[in-house]
Amino acid sequence: MTDTRGPTAPEETGAAAGADKPAQPYQPPQAYTAPAGPGAPRGGGAPATQRKPRTPVRTTPRTRKARLRVAKADPWSVMKVSFLLSIALGICTIVAAAVLWMVMDAMGVFSTVGGTISEATGSNEGNGFDLQAFMSLPRVLIFTSVIAVIDVVLATALATLGAFIYNLSAGFVGGVELTLAEDE
């Protein structure tokens, strides 16, 4: 049989011929040279069998991002959430009106302005317009409560109607696209 691979290296011929060198498994050429000094692999000047660890290219953590599309808003869930948020806004409005009235009353705004208005609108026979009786705390809280209830009904209805309109327009244009990023 004839060998058609061409001339062979002297190491291969010696190992195949049974020379003084024992046969060793094939070692691919190393990309790095053998390290020198303490901690270097043993074996003299033989090529290193361990590679140096690669240094990472990126030192900051990579943020994952996802592009999502809001294709549909459920009107029932929108109605529930808007109802709860408008209830909270109504309660905040009533509390803010009560606190504001108490601060203004403690500062004497109603008595000062009421005296000026009653002098301007009064005649010799009557006292004129009484602002303090008209702007009493119970009357202000009742008015604010009526406004808050109207706000709850309107905000809930408008948010639900907005969900229906969004669903119709999202059917035509595909909806709103969001890019979400993971925070690490």
Side-chain angles (χ1 to χ4, degrees), residues 66-72 166 170-171 173-180:
R67 291 185 64 178
L68 301 174
R69 188 170 46 104
V70 181
K72 183 178 184 281
Y166 177 80
V173 296
V176 175
E177 285 191 15
L178 302 172
T179 302
L180 303 177

Side-chain angles (χ1 to χ4, degrees), residues 101 104 110 129-140:
W101 187 92
M104 289 175 69
F110 294 124
F129 182 72
D130 188 15
L131 182 67
Q132 287 180 330
F134 183 72
M135 295 288 288
S136 65
L137 181 61
R139 187 175 274 186
V140 168

Side-chain angles (χ1 to χ4, degrees), residues 54-65 184:
R54 299 179 92 186
T55 58
V57 176
R58 199 181 288 257
T59 58
T60 58
R62 184 176 166 202
T63 302
R64 295 189 306 174
K65 292 182 181 180
E184 291 189 45

Side-chain angles (χ1 to χ4, degrees), residues 3-9 12-13:
D3 188 9
T4 58
R5 290 183 289 176
T8 58
E12 293 176 352
T13 55

